[in-house]
Each structure stands twice: as structure tokens, then as C-alpha cells.
Amino acid sequence: MRFDPSRVPDYIFTEELLEVVEAVLVLERPLLLRGEPGTGKTQLGVALARGLNLPLIFWPIKSTTTARDGLYIYDTIRRLNDARFGDGDVRNIHSYIRFGPLGEALSSPERVVLLIDEIDKAEPEFANDLLYELDAMEFRIEETGETIRAQNRPYVVITSNAERELPEPFLRRCIFHYIPFPAPEVMARIIATHLPDLAPRLVEAALHSFFALRQRPGLRKPPGTAELLDWLRVLVAQGVTPEDLRNGIPYAGVLLKKPEDLELLSRGASPSWSFEAIQSSWEKIRTRS
Amino acid sequence: MIPFFPFLIALREEGIEVSLGEWLTFLTALVNGSVSPRLSSLYAVGRALLVKSETLYDRYDRAFLRAFSRLASGEDARALLEQWLKSGPPEWQSFVHDLTRDGDGFLEFLDRLRQHLSPPPSPPNTTEPTPAVDQLGISSGALGGFQRAYKLASERRFRAYDQDRILDTAGMRSALARWRCSDQKGTVPVLDLKQTLESAARNGGEIELKFRYSLKRRRILLLTDVGGTMNVHHQLVERFLTSLRREIRRVDHYYFHNTIYEYLYRDAERRFRISTEDLIRRFSATHTLVLVGDATMGLQELLYPHAAIEGDNEIPSTTLLSLMATHFPRAVWLNPEPVARWSSVPSVQIIAQYLPMYPLTIPGILAALNTLLKGNDPKTSFLPKGSF
């Protein structure tokens, strides 16, 4: 199986990432991706499928998702209803078993890419419950006694926000890659692929402000790539010039989502403890009394 | 098999616990073509297979450097790589030649790695872009130079916390969730008829027995130390409080300064007082008492009357502490100071005689939970033996 990065021009692959992808293809082990929000973990899963020219099965994880949901669901209600109203083939249990995303990936005759998105959203036991299925790439349907076994091991990509520690046995079976926050020049390339018509001077000024903002100590949630792209769109729409960016960050609400962070920013721009401020408030108190 | 053993040793020396399975996978990767015959490839794939957390990337770099740069000493890393290349498919053989005359940039690669490990001192204000990916395709341990230095620094800080995991809110919440779950332990399950009927109806008549646990909700009386030496710990304590409030519904919270005297406070600014006696009267012994404080103070403040640093106390603090400990059979003291420092602080030693003391870390919280469930177990004590 050959991976062709030229098929995904809008995802920037680093050399190192390509080496890791190569190892995933040969070893056929799940690839676990971690990184700050907005570093393109999910995008990488999608890009992998496109680069390999394979169908993608997307399995977004929620707090209520269980491993069994991913394999199959035995729809008892529908079967009961069919029995009452005389619809469907009630005797055939197979027609009441629906595959979940993992079940679909394992039963697919052709090779697929399975993207398990945000695995840490589920209960802590979730990852452990998947161990056997991901290892052996097979599962048993209890109701029929059938065993479904993958003819071609699917490539599994798992993303995690490190919201929860994943269990050791699970980690041992994965190939791990940490997606670093893009360096300024990588970020410039990312911007160029998404917003190709931007004036280079504006991009440069915006990047400068953006990375300076990210390095500010005490920031609770540093802005990510998605926020930066949104912000650039706003800047263009509002006709902000590179010079404007020198005196602070306009439309900071696009970049910073926490009230505390916005407060921190405004404190930095115009110190509320300036001599004038204290004096004026003192004046106010004096005139009142 | 290829003698990559020194690398494994170096990894383990750096504290990266590579399991046997992971190591075998790595060795397999070396020969089955997932690693291409370049040192940078060996580096990248090795890291993806052997290291499962970005916090260990620095250590991996160090181990890699150590294992493959023993060129000066008798043990030749080059020989190691040569052997690896020779074991590969025939088209690799040309690389063996390259390697012996440094064609692969062997030394260059190691030099770059070495540079990454000793970041140039950069003033923290510069926004000078640090190249994260150099020509060899090695990202600088996932982080730029400045951030890496920061990362190292933060790692050191986390080492101060008894080498425990960083106390992120998520980790703390899952530890505290175990406190909440512990409510169910030891109670007798009762058949929940309503739930059973409902689930049977929802499941097309298939009966699934549902049980209910008679829940005695654990109520927590939380007392935290504020001000003074506690200011340096405010972020950690704040995170603990947020997690606790999210995980456990009933938390009654009061404040104190340094240690327990006749009065406690309703607010962090210590304006509204409540007498300790009232507090003990109001909260029954079914409450779990959790104190959070660094327990660091002058001995007289703890042992004598009229010695409190704020206000005046008729009763020595130790008397009140022992009163609390007898009134609340389930009581723990969580200390945000690293355990290593405890033995040098006499007041910590004294307080730990009245209330079982645990560090405010994830293992500490879990050990505290054990104490609350099973009573004080001297084996799990964090205090060094024979002190005091």
C-alpha cells in the first residue's frame, strides 16, 4: 500500500510524520494522535484516507459511546414491532443486526481507514474494551454466534485530546505521534493553502501578533489554527491593515474564548493600574464625598 | 537479532519503560521495511513505537543520543547501524558504504540532536520563529527551542511534585470520581423493580435485572488554608477545588490560616468567622473532613495558646486538631508541598500525628481515599519512617 501525499495538497506533512505513516502501513497497528486542539488531528485521519485512496469510516466518540455500539446493535425493538405487525423477515435474526463503525470497518471486504475521533471523550474503560477487537481485528456476534474477521486489516487512526490518560495496555499496542503546534513558517504554509489570496504583509503581521499572544503567560486557552484562520477572515472582511495590528489585537474575541483570557489581554494593552486611572478614580471619590 | 540492546538500556536508564512487546515491535520494524535506511527514519519510527507520551520526548532524545554517539569510546554505534543495514534487503547494501564514510550525515544528525537538547538561551520576549523542522526532518522534540526550555522547566517542576503525573484537572477529576464511586462500595444492592420493568419494555420484553445501591451520599467538609505561604500553591488548590465541586455534590467549604484555631472563615478574605465549636456541632461524624494546607508554620503557632499569627487563641491548635480528628473518624490532610520537603518541616510532622497527611497529587488523593475507606494504614503513609 503506497501513501501519496501529493493527493492531499491541503494537508502539510512533515518528513517525520511521513516516516510514522510508513511504519503504520507496514505494521498495521493503530496510530494514536495527540496534540493541542486545532493542530489538525482529525484532519490527518481524513488526509491519510485520501492519500491512500481508501474509503474512510468516521467514528466520532461521545461520552455515552460504548465499545459494543461500535461493533453492532441488535435491534430488538424493530424485531418485536415486525413480529406484531407482520413486517419483515422476523425469523432471520441477521436482518436485525446492524454494524457500528468498527463492525463496518472489520466486515468490509476492501481495506478501509477507520478514524476513531476523540477517544478520550468516552468512559475510561472504553479504550480497554476495544483492545481485543483492534488486536485481532475480529469480533463475535453473540446473538448469532458468528465471528466477523477482517479480510484486510483496516488502518486505524485514533485521536485524543489528552483529556484523560489512556490505559497502558492500550498505549502499548499503538503507534504514537504527537502533532506539535505548527511553527510560524509551517503556519504560514497552512494559511497559504487555506487563504491563498491574503496579502503577505498582513499574514506576517498577524502571525507575529498571534504567536506573541500564544506565548503570553497565564493564558488559559491559547488560540489554535482554526481560530487563527477565522481571525484572518475577519481581519480581511473588516479591512484591518497590518499597521492596525501594531497597536493591539482587534476582534480578539475570535481568538480567545475565555473571558479571563480577554481580560488578561485588555489588562496588558492598557494597564488598569496606570497612574492616571488611579488619580481619576480618586477624584471621583473625592467629589462624591 | 540485531544488537540494538544498548539503545534499550539507554531508554530504560532515562526512565522510559519500554515493554517487551513494544521492543519486539521496534525490532520487527527495523527489518520489515517500516524503517528506511536513514538515521532520521530510525529516530522517528523508534519514537512513535517506543514512546507513548510527548512528555517523554526529551528523554527519548537523550537516550537516542547516548546510544548512538558512543563513537569516541570503544563501542561503536556505527557498527551497530552497519549491522542493521547489512541485515536489510540487498538495495540497502549501498548505504553500508555511505555510512562508513559518513555519507548519511551520521555525525551531522547527532550534532543537530545535541543542539536541540541544549537550547540556546533566548530571551522570553522574542517572538523570533524557532525552526521546528530542520533539514533532516527532525522536529525539535515536537516543540520549538523556547517552548522546549519551558517544557523542561515545567517537567522539573512536576518532578518536585513527587514525580507524579501533572495534576491536570482531568486527571484530578478522575481520581476524585473514584471518591464518589466509593460511595457504592459496601452497600447491599436492592432489586430496582421500576428500572427493571422499564428496561424490559424498552428491550422488547427481554428481562434484564436492574439493581439499586442504597446510596449514602458522601458529604465533604472541606477546610482550606489561604494566604501566606499558600499563595504559591493557589493554582493547584484552585484546580483541586474545581474538580472536587464538579465530582462531589455536597461540599461545605471553610477557610483557615495556617492551622485550626477557635475560629474558621466562610470566605477566602477571612472576614466572616464561624467558631470551630459551632462547626463541629453542626457537621456530624458522617462527614468526611478534608483539610488542604501546607502545614508550614512556626512551632509555637501550633503548640501554644496566644501564639496565632492572626487574632488570639485561648486553646492551642493541637488540641483543636485532636478534637477534630476524634469527632470526624474520616479525616485527611492534603498537603500541596512536595513530600521530600515534609521531613524538614517540624510543624508538618506534628500535624501528621493528628491527621493522616497525603500529598495533593493524584496518587496522594487515591491513597487518601484508601485511608478514608479502610482506616489509617501505616504502610501507605507518605511520611518518611523514623522521623520525629
Side-chain angles (χ1 to χ4, degrees), chain B residues 7 26 100 109 127 138 170 186 191 233 236 240 292 326 388:
Chain B
F7 186 34
F26 172 68
T100 42
F109 179 89
T127 49
I138 294 293
L191 180 69
H233 302 297
L236 179 67
F240 174 71
V292 178
T326 26
F388 226 74

Side-chain angles (χ1 to χ4, degrees), chain A residues 15-16 19 23 26-27 29 34 76-77 80 163 165 171-172 174-176 178 180 183-185 208 212 215 220, chain B residues 19 22 25 32 34 36 38 41 47-49 51-52 54 57 127 129 131-132 137 139 142 146 165 170 202-203:
Chain A
E15 279 285 317
E16 195 181 39
E19 303 275 12
V26 177
L27 295 169
R29 289 196 175 227
R34 207 143 68 182
T76 42
I77 297 290
L80 186 71
E163 221 174 80
E165 289 283 323
L171 288 175
R172 277 204 294 274
C174 289
I175 295 176
F176 175 76
Y178 179 79
E185 60 275 8
H208 195 275
Q215 290 199 344
R220 300 234 174 156
Chain B
S19 75
E22 285 169 322
T25 315
N32 75 356
S34 20
S36 38
R38 284 192 309 275
S41 171
R47 197 176 70 182
L49 291 175
V51 185
K52 300 296 158 73
E54 67 278 12
Y57 275 9
T127 49
S139 101
F146 167 67
R165 276 182 292 153
R202 213 176 290 135
N203 216 15

Side-chain angles (χ1 to χ4, degrees), chain A residues 24 29-35 41-42 44-46 48 57 59 61 102 113-121 126-127 130-131 134 137 155-161 166 170-171 173-179:
Chain A
V24 170
R29 289 196 175 227
L31 171 64
L32 174 65
L33 295 170
R34 207 143 68 182
K41 297 183 289 289
T42 308
L44 174 57
V46 177
L48 199 68
I57 295 179
W59 186 14
I61 304 298
L102 180 57
V113 173
L114 172 67
L115 174 58
I116 306 180
D117 202 28
E118 308 204 39
I119 193 167
D120 49 344
K121 287 274 180 292
F126 178 75
L130 288 178
L131 278 184
L134 289 181
M137 291 290 178
Y155 296 124
V156 182
V157 180
I158 302 164
T159 73
S160 158
N161 275 325
L166 291 169
F170 181 78
L171 288 175
R173 286 166 171 83
C174 289
I175 295 176
F176 175 76
H177 183 68
Y178 179 79
I179 303 186

Side-chain angles (χ1 to χ4, degrees), chain A residues 51-62:
Chain A
L52 290 166
N53 206 10
L54 291 177
L56 174 77
I57 295 179
F58 184 60
W59 186 14
I61 304 298
K62 299 182 186 112

Side-chain angles (χ1 to χ4, degrees), chain A residues 152-228:
Chain A
N152 289 301
R153 286 175 76 93
Y155 296 124
V156 182
V157 180
I158 302 164
T159 73
S160 158
N161 275 325
E163 221 174 80
R164 218 190 281 272
E165 289 283 323
L166 291 169
E168 276 295 319
F170 181 78
L171 288 175
R172 277 204 294 274
R173 286 166 171 83
C174 289
I175 295 176
F176 175 76
H177 183 68
Y178 179 79
I179 303 186
F181 194 80
E185 60 275 8
V186 179
M187 192 57 103
R189 276 167 67 199
I190 294 172
I191 293 171
T193 54
H194 288 270
L195 305 164
D197 307 323
L198 241 49
R201 273 187 58 234
L202 181 66
V203 173
E204 199 183 313
L207 275 178
H208 195 275
S209 306
F210 177 76
F211 279 94
L213 177 67
R214 273 183 60 87
Q215 290 199 344
R216 200 177 267 250
L219 212 59
R220 300 234 174 156
K221 195 193 167 303
T225 313
E227 280 93 352
L228 174 64

Side-chain angles (χ1 to χ4, degrees), chain B residues 78-99:
Chain B
R78 209 180 288 238
L80 204 125
L81 286 172
E82 215 177 295
Q83 243 174 309
W84 167 47
L85 290 177
K86 274 181 185 156
S87 71
E91 62 267 26
W92 283 18
Q93 300 317 314
S94 62
F95 291 104
V96 178
H97 179 62
D98 285 349
L99 187 70

Side-chain angles (χ1 to χ4, degrees), chain B residues 266-314:
Chain B
R266 286 174 198 279
D267 58 332
E269 290 76 28
R270 302 197 296 277
R271 282 176 307 205
F272 305 106
R273 328 195 276 185
I274 172 175
S275 92
T276 308
E277 205 188 325
D278 274 353
L279 194 88
I280 290 180
R281 211 174 289 138
R282 188 185 304 172
F283 294 96
S284 67
T286 50
H287 280 76
T288 303
L289 177 67
V290 178
L291 291 111
V292 178
D294 60 3
T296 303
M297 68 205 83
L299 276 186
Q300 72 281 5
E301 290 174 52
L302 196 58
L303 299 173
Y304 301 120
H306 309 294
I309 209 143
E310 267 177 25
D312 189 25
N313 62 316
E314 295 278 329

